[in-house]
Amino acid sequence: MTQSISGNKIRSDFISFFEEKSHTFVPSSSLVPGGDQTLLFTNAGMVQFKDVFLGTDRRPYSRATNSQKCMRVSGKHNDLDDVGRDNTHHTFFEMLGNWSFGDYYKKEAIAWAWELLTEVWGIDKNQLWATCFKDEKGEIPADEEAFESWKSQPGMRTDHILFFGRKDNFWEMADTGPCGPCSEIHIDRGEEFCDKKNIEGHVCQVNGDCARFLELWNLVFIQYNRTSPKDLSPLPATHVDTGMGFERIVSVLQDVDSNYKTDLLLPLMDVVMMLCGQNEEERENNLTPYRVIADHCRAASFLIADGVVPGNIGRNYICRMIIRRASRFGAKLGLDDPFLAKVAESVIDIYGDAYPELVKNAKTITDSLTREEKKFHSTVEGGLAILESYIENLKASGNTQLNGEKAFDLYATHGLPLEITKDVLRERSLLVDQEGFFEAMEAHRVNSGAGKEFGELGGEDAEFYANIAAGLIEHGDLFPEGVIQDPYGANEVETEIVSIIKDKQEVKILKEGESGEFILKETNFYIESGGQVSDVGQVSSKNYENLFLISDIRKPSSGVVVHVGEVEQGEFHTGSKVKISFDSDRRQDIRRNHTATHLLQYQLREVLGDHVRQAGSLVAPDRLRFDFTHPEAMTREQIKMIEDRVNEKILENSPVSISQKKLDEALAEGATALFGEKYGEDVRTISIGAGNPYSYELCGGTHVSETGEIGVFLITSESSAAAGIRRIEAVTGRKAYSLIKKRFNTIDAISDLLETSANSVEEIVKNILHQKTILEDELRSLREKEAIARYQTEKQNAEVVDDIVLLPLFFEGIPISILRQLADIFRNDFEKGLAIFGSLVEEGKVQFVVTASDSVVKMGVHAGEIAKAIAKEIGGSGGGRPNLAQAGGNDYDKLLKVKLSEYVKKLG
Ligand code: ATP
Ligand code: MG
């Protein structure tokens, strides 16, 4: 065993080993699964090949190998509770895999795994164990084929091949669909690794739940299709899907006792150790925070590189949560200033060659981390203090579970993610009501109108539609790859209704006035993707006497497209020949906005710099919205400059060309690709500009043929979308024209009011404003004079209690400076006095001063305390010195009712 072999070398050894066996290297897909609504994060190597197994996607190769970026912090696979507490589970990790799509099967997969582990990497054969499938229910045949293959491997010990049941050794993608037995390779790391020695009845064995036996590699053999909980049918072609934990194999080959001691993660813990000034022994005694920081910082760096920045919901929430969690563990080590950027630099260093997106986005990564840490620091103390008070209450009442709404409030108003609340509670042996937390979060998300952006993850009805499609394919009503989609062709297409769905049931007929869904053999509708919204339109019978209006279109399951709508006229039957057409004016508006989005992105990079990357976009008929990475608000000049330049490109009338290419070729030519977008081998590219195009993007959207068609482009707003992300909204074409018209009309209306021409409006308004200032100044000085005059009268009649003159006096429209002036005069006038001067400075905004003469202060009156108490009454805050204090609030009527005598009486 070589001790010096680096992690990067191990990764490339794995890839080369399989490349030599005719596998095609397929780069890792993004952590954000493209086009898959059912998953928050890519959590295994197979995610990008899912459709190949389902038969709805084909690849030009039948053998593949890769190293896939994975995250397991949500949903079915959530390892967060183990991360930092053990040595072998991470939130982010890499999964090495080899794949056969209807090509080789068990014999080869097992032989190659054995060869790589024992021959190439020289792992001691006596340490390795293999598991095979044997159904505890006796319904599915045991995997004797795998068992025999293992037995025939040179040096494999038969007593090291074990059978296990469904939980460990049968793999299923979902409740239905491709599935099959799997075979796992475990390594015995030696007795000293057992962490359960003190637990009575513990037996060290494979799947025995201690750290001695470590699962390294899972070989999945896909050979069945599950059609119901009881029924499996053999697949026409069988597949291999394997996944090996990269960090785990590196720890074995580098002969260290933890993933965190490999050259992948140790340098990150070293940075932390250096920053907090501990030594190795101290680190060893306090490993959890080190491990959490190294793990979470690596995960956050990869997430940000894939465009997932910290935020409030969905994926963005996870990014925020892990950064904040790392930050809190940092605080436990005494790291009170932002420090994660330093750790991230080391991540980029170690992983930059294998994952160039880290290098490309280095600045965004470090900036986002620091910004998020600062944000967290500014709120965390308050949050933790409140949590402490909740804990006290829990303990006092003998309760062990914190209410979910409270936990959500800690997050929503004090920035404390649920997972941190859980950490803190766990440290005191308490729990939190997680369900309640998510209910509160959901309610908040709905109330705040966050929309369905990440709301509809889950794909609950995927199975229902997958079953319908399977039946249709079987009867030849659909092509094997499902509904044929071509959104780029003619506006009217003749096709056939193959299924009608009403109230989640297949029906034969849909009548006038009824709502339902149609599955057609083919469709020319564009389905929401890449930010471009779906088309709307209609299905009609040949002579248009029957009409179904389509309001939405969706893809609930791979290969299935449903048109959602209502029968406007007549009726429709399954099997009817129909015509489908989209609303073409609306489509043209969308095209304009989409091409304009590309022009905008190009100019943003030109004007602001290369750090600009798309972070989300919406292409709708009436507007476009573009989110991008940029650390600060744009200046007005920058916005104008970009708007001008986009319009220049429109006037140039550049040709827009679309072509189909191989992904590699397009990327080599410098096409801009998007994170989170899943690209197949063949991609569609959009280039703008004759000859040498200036804009070149991978894009599946619909576009104009020449930029002139856009008409005009107007930016309507520039704002912040999230930390480090700016948002531009703009309009084009018809919408821009109507906006211009509207502005013209407004100016015309104003000039009519001012009885002048449009050209002189500005000058005249300036004059009016100037006069207004003069008049306001005059008014103010009059009011001031009046205020002082009123004071002079009122002070004669002031109430006297216990020798103290009490004067409450209130005004409207008097600035605070005058109130302070009155306070000075008052203290001069009265040796023993207490006064309040208040003013309604503007609608809903009250200010006041409280003043007390020195001798009254000596008696114990404190103007600051009085001001504070009154402010509290009127919904504000303030305070000050014993003789003079200032405060504000919003309830003028309540202020009028203030009784100074109460504050004097309290003395007695
Ligand atoms: P375990 O039981 O150890 O959690 P698993 O059964 O969840 O593993 P698989 O889904 O089969 O794992 O994934 C394939 C391989 O990926 C595993 O054999 C393991 O080496 C690795 N792996 C799984 N989860 C993690 C994780 N959270 N961190 C690091 N490696 C992991
Ligand atoms: Mg697991």
PDB file of all heavy atoms in Angstrom, residues 875-896:
ATOM      1  N   GLY A 875     -45.291  53.735  21.040  1.00  0.00           N
ATOM      2  CA  GLY A 875     -44.765  52.885  19.975  1.00  0.00           C
ATOM      3  C   GLY A 875     -43.432  53.336  19.407  1.00  0.00           C
ATOM      4  O   GLY A 875     -43.205  53.283  18.197  1.00  0.00           O
ATOM      5  N   GLY A 876     -42.533  53.820  20.277  1.00  0.00           N
ATOM      6  CA  GLY A 876     -41.233  54.242  19.753  1.00  0.00           C
ATOM      7  C   GLY A 876     -40.124  53.954  20.731  1.00  0.00           C
ATOM      8  O   GLY A 876     -40.239  53.080  21.583  1.00  0.00           O
ATOM      9  N   SER A 877     -39.051  54.713  20.623  1.00  0.00           N
ATOM     10  CA  SER A 877     -37.932  54.500  21.524  1.00  0.00           C
ATOM     11  C   SER A 877     -37.161  55.801  21.693  1.00  0.00           C
ATOM     12  O   SER A 877     -37.343  56.749  20.925  1.00  0.00           O
ATOM     13  CB  SER A 877     -37.008  53.436  20.964  1.00  0.00           C
ATOM     14  OG  SER A 877     -36.514  53.876  19.719  1.00  0.00           O
ATOM     15  N   GLY A 878     -36.304  55.835  22.699  1.00  0.00           N
ATOM     16  CA  GLY A 878     -35.477  57.030  22.909  1.00  0.00           C
ATOM     17  C   GLY A 878     -34.942  57.052  24.319  1.00  0.00           C
ATOM     18  O   GLY A 878     -35.089  56.098  25.076  1.00  0.00           O
ATOM     19  N   GLY A 879     -34.319  58.138  24.682  1.00  0.00           N
ATOM     20  CA  GLY A 879     -33.744  58.265  26.020  1.00  0.00           C
ATOM     21  C   GLY A 879     -32.751  59.404  26.035  1.00  0.00           C
ATOM     22  O   GLY A 879     -32.648  60.154  25.061  1.00  0.00           O
ATOM     23  N   GLY A 880     -32.039  59.548  27.137  1.00  0.00           N
ATOM     24  CA  GLY A 880     -31.044  60.620  27.180  1.00  0.00           C
ATOM     25  C   GLY A 880     -30.572  60.877  28.595  1.00  0.00           C
ATOM     26  O   GLY A 880     -30.642  60.005  29.464  1.00  0.00           O
ATOM     27  N   ARG A 881     -30.118  62.121  28.799  1.00  0.00           N
ATOM     28  CA  ARG A 881     -29.531  62.490  30.092  1.00  0.00           C
ATOM     29  C   ARG A 881     -30.634  62.772  31.108  1.00  0.00           C
ATOM     30  O   ARG A 881     -31.797  62.908  30.746  1.00  0.00           O
ATOM     31  CB  ARG A 881     -28.664  63.732  29.897  1.00  0.00           C
ATOM     32  CG  ARG A 881     -27.400  63.440  29.082  1.00  0.00           C
ATOM     33  CD  ARG A 881     -26.570  64.687  28.924  1.00  0.00           C
ATOM     34  NE  ARG A 881     -26.998  65.474  27.765  1.00  0.00           N
ATOM     35  CZ  ARG A 881     -27.301  66.767  27.807  1.00  0.00           C
ATOM     36  NH1 ARG A 881     -27.274  67.423  28.956  1.00  0.00           N
ATOM     37  NH2 ARG A 881     -27.660  67.395  26.721  1.00  0.00           N
ATOM     38  N   PRO A 882     -30.253  62.922  32.395  1.00  0.00           N
ATOM     39  CA  PRO A 882     -31.271  63.194  33.428  1.00  0.00           C
ATOM     40  C   PRO A 882     -31.993  64.518  33.203  1.00  0.00           C
ATOM     41  O   PRO A 882     -33.158  64.666  33.541  1.00  0.00           O
ATOM     42  CB  PRO A 882     -30.469  63.250  34.721  1.00  0.00           C
ATOM     43  CG  PRO A 882     -29.200  62.519  34.436  1.00  0.00           C
ATOM     44  CD  PRO A 882     -28.920  62.672  32.986  1.00  0.00           C
ATOM     45  N   ASN A 883     -31.291  65.522  32.585  1.00  0.00           N
ATOM     46  CA  ASN A 883     -31.955  66.816  32.446  1.00  0.00           C
ATOM     47  C   ASN A 883     -32.526  67.058  31.046  1.00  0.00           C
ATOM     48  O   ASN A 883     -33.337  67.943  30.848  1.00  0.00           O
ATOM     49  CB  ASN A 883     -31.013  67.945  32.849  1.00  0.00           C
ATOM     50  CG  ASN A 883     -29.820  68.043  31.918  1.00  0.00           C
ATOM     51  OD1 ASN A 883     -29.564  67.093  31.150  1.00  0.00           O
ATOM     52  ND2 ASN A 883     -29.117  69.155  31.961  1.00  0.00           N
ATOM     53  N   LEU A 884     -32.091  66.248  30.081  1.00  0.00           N
ATOM     54  CA  LEU A 884     -32.624  66.458  28.731  1.00  0.00           C
ATOM     55  C   LEU A 884     -32.591  65.144  27.952  1.00  0.00           C
ATOM     56  O   LEU A 884     -31.559  64.480  27.885  1.00  0.00           O
ATOM     57  CB  LEU A 884     -31.783  67.500  27.981  1.00  0.00           C
ATOM     58  CG  LEU A 884     -32.284  67.820  26.571  1.00  0.00           C
ATOM     59  CD1 LEU A 884     -33.654  68.465  26.605  1.00  0.00           C
ATOM     60  CD2 LEU A 884     -31.291  68.729  25.852  1.00  0.00           C
ATOM     61  N   ALA A 885     -33.757  64.812  27.388  1.00  0.00           N
ATOM     62  CA  ALA A 885     -33.812  63.551  26.634  1.00  0.00           C
ATOM     63  C   ALA A 885     -34.714  63.739  25.428  1.00  0.00           C
ATOM     64  O   ALA A 885     -35.547  64.635  25.382  1.00  0.00           O
ATOM     65  CB  ALA A 885     -34.350  62.441  27.513  1.00  0.00           C
ATOM     66  N   GLN A 886     -34.507  62.861  24.477  1.00  0.00           N
ATOM     67  CA  GLN A 886     -35.235  63.005  23.219  1.00  0.00           C
ATOM     68  C   GLN A 886     -35.749  61.631  22.805  1.00  0.00           C
ATOM     69  O   GLN A 886     -35.080  60.631  23.013  1.00  0.00           O
ATOM     70  CB  GLN A 886     -34.250  63.537  22.188  1.00  0.00           C
ATOM     71  CG  GLN A 886     -34.809  63.665  20.812  1.00  0.00           C
ATOM     72  CD  GLN A 886     -33.751  64.233  19.881  1.00  0.00           C
ATOM     73  OE1 GLN A 886     -32.913  65.041  20.303  1.00  0.00           O
ATOM     74  NE2 GLN A 886     -33.785  63.803  18.638  1.00  0.00           N
ATOM     75  N   ALA A 887     -36.947  61.588  22.199  1.00  0.00           N
ATOM     76  CA  ALA A 887     -37.481  60.281  21.786  1.00  0.00           C
ATOM     77  C   ALA A 887     -38.472  60.464  20.659  1.00  0.00           C
ATOM     78  O   ALA A 887     -38.834  61.593  20.304  1.00  0.00           O
ATOM     79  CB  ALA A 887     -38.153  59.596  22.978  1.00  0.00           C
ATOM     80  N   GLY A 888     -38.894  59.344  20.102  1.00  0.00           N
ATOM     81  CA  GLY A 888     -39.861  59.397  18.998  1.00  0.00           C
ATOM     82  C   GLY A 888     -40.883  58.297  19.152  1.00  0.00           C
ATOM     83  O   GLY A 888     -40.777  57.437  20.014  1.00  0.00           O
ATOM     84  N   GLY A 889     -41.893  58.360  18.294  1.00  0.00           N
ATOM     85  CA  GLY A 889     -42.925  57.336  18.330  1.00  0.00           C
ATOM     86  C   GLY A 889     -43.895  57.570  17.190  1.00  0.00           C
ATOM     87  O   GLY A 889     -43.591  58.325  16.267  1.00  0.00           O
ATOM     88  N   ASN A 890     -45.073  56.924  17.256  1.00  0.00           N
ATOM     89  CA  ASN A 890     -45.995  57.109  16.146  1.00  0.00           C
ATOM     90  C   ASN A 890     -47.417  57.493  16.550  1.00  0.00           C
ATOM     91  O   ASN A 890     -48.242  57.764  15.710  1.00  0.00           O
ATOM     92  CB  ASN A 890     -46.005  55.844  15.265  1.00  0.00           C
ATOM     93  CG  ASN A 890     -46.269  54.592  16.086  1.00  0.00           C
ATOM     94  OD1 ASN A 890     -47.063  54.636  17.031  1.00  0.00           O
ATOM     95  ND2 ASN A 890     -45.580  53.503  15.761  1.00  0.00           N
ATOM     96  N   ASP A 891     -47.685  57.530  17.866  1.00  0.00           N
ATOM     97  CA  ASP A 891     -49.069  57.774  18.280  1.00  0.00           C
ATOM     98  C   ASP A 891     -49.214  59.154  18.929  1.00  0.00           C
ATOM     99  O   ASP A 891     -49.025  59.332  20.133  1.00  0.00           O
ATOM    100  CB  ASP A 891     -49.502  56.655  19.239  1.00  0.00           C
ATOM    101  CG  ASP A 891     -51.011  56.625  19.417  1.00  0.00           C
ATOM    102  OD1 ASP A 891     -51.650  57.680  19.199  1.00  0.00           O
ATOM    103  OD2 ASP A 891     -51.540  55.556  19.774  1.00  0.00           O
ATOM    104  N   TYR A 892     -49.609  60.140  18.103  1.00  0.00           N
ATOM    105  CA  TYR A 892     -49.677  61.519  18.588  1.00  0.00           C
ATOM    106  C   TYR A 892     -50.785  61.680  19.629  1.00  0.00           C
ATOM    107  O   TYR A 892     -50.610  62.334  20.647  1.00  0.00           O
ATOM    108  CB  TYR A 892     -49.907  62.452  17.403  1.00  0.00           C
ATOM    109  CG  TYR A 892     -49.846  63.925  17.750  1.00  0.00           C
ATOM    110  CD1 TYR A 892     -48.682  64.481  18.287  1.00  0.00           C
ATOM    111  CD2 TYR A 892     -50.941  64.751  17.522  1.00  0.00           C
ATOM    112  CE1 TYR A 892     -48.624  65.833  18.596  1.00  0.00           C
ATOM    113  CE2 TYR A 892     -50.890  66.104  17.813  1.00  0.00           C
ATOM    114  CZ  TYR A 892     -49.737  66.654  18.357  1.00  0.00           C
ATOM    115  OH  TYR A 892     -49.676  67.975  18.653  1.00  0.00           O
ATOM    116  N   ASP A 893     -51.925  61.019  19.366  1.00  0.00           N
ATOM    117  CA  ASP A 893     -53.066  61.158  20.274  1.00  0.00           C
ATOM    118  C   ASP A 893     -52.720  60.699  21.676  1.00  0.00           C
ATOM    119  O   ASP A 893     -53.117  61.308  22.664  1.00  0.00           O
ATOM    120  CB  ASP A 893     -54.268  60.366  19.750  1.00  0.00           C
ATOM    121  CG  ASP A 893     -54.845  61.037  18.513  1.00  0.00           C
ATOM    122  OD1 ASP A 893     -54.560  62.249  18.336  1.00  0.00           O
ATOM    123  OD2 ASP A 893     -55.526  60.362  17.722  1.00  0.00           O
ATOM    124  N   LYS A 894     -51.964  59.646  21.759  1.00  0.00           N
ATOM    125  CA  LYS A 894     -51.559  59.137  23.071  1.00  0.00           C
ATOM    126  C   LYS A 894     -50.597  60.105  23.742  1.00  0.00           C
ATOM    127  O   LYS A 894     -50.633  60.289  24.951  1.00  0.00           O
ATOM    128  CB  LYS A 894     -50.884  57.776  22.910  1.00  0.00           C
ATOM    129  CG  LYS A 894     -51.781  56.637  23.348  1.00  0.00           C
ATOM    130  CD  LYS A 894     -50.981  55.390  23.658  1.00  0.00           C
ATOM    131  CE  LYS A 894     -51.953  54.238  23.895  1.00  0.00           C
ATOM    132  NZ  LYS A 894     -51.410  52.975  23.409  1.00  0.00           N
ATOM    133  N   LEU A 895     -49.746  60.711  22.933  1.00  0.00           N
ATOM    134  CA  LEU A 895     -48.764  61.648  23.488  1.00  0.00           C
ATOM    135  C   LEU A 895     -49.490  62.814  24.178  1.00  0.00           C
ATOM    136  O   LEU A 895     -49.090  63.278  25.238  1.00  0.00           O
ATOM    137  CB  LEU A 895     -47.847  62.171  22.365  1.00  0.00           C
ATOM    138  CG  LEU A 895     -46.691  63.064  22.820  1.00  0.00           C
ATOM    139  CD1 LEU A 895     -45.668  62.245  23.592  1.00  0.00           C
ATOM    140  CD2 LEU A 895     -46.019  63.750  21.633  1.00  0.00           C
ATOM    141  N   LEU A 896     -50.589  63.243  23.537  1.00  0.00           N
ATOM    142  CA  LEU A 896     -51.343  64.372  24.088  1.00  0.00           C
ATOM    143  C   LEU A 896     -51.869  64.070  25.491  1.00  0.00           C
ATOM    144  O   LEU A 896     -52.120  64.972  26.273  1.00  0.00           O
ATOM    145  CB  LEU A 896     -52.534  64.707  23.170  1.00  0.00           C
ATOM    146  CG  LEU A 896     -52.181  65.208  21.760  1.00  0.00           C
ATOM    147  CD1 LEU A 896     -53.435  65.488  20.963  1.00  0.00           C
ATOM    148  CD2 LEU A 896     -51.315  66.460  21.843  1.00  0.00           C
TER     149      LEU A 896
END
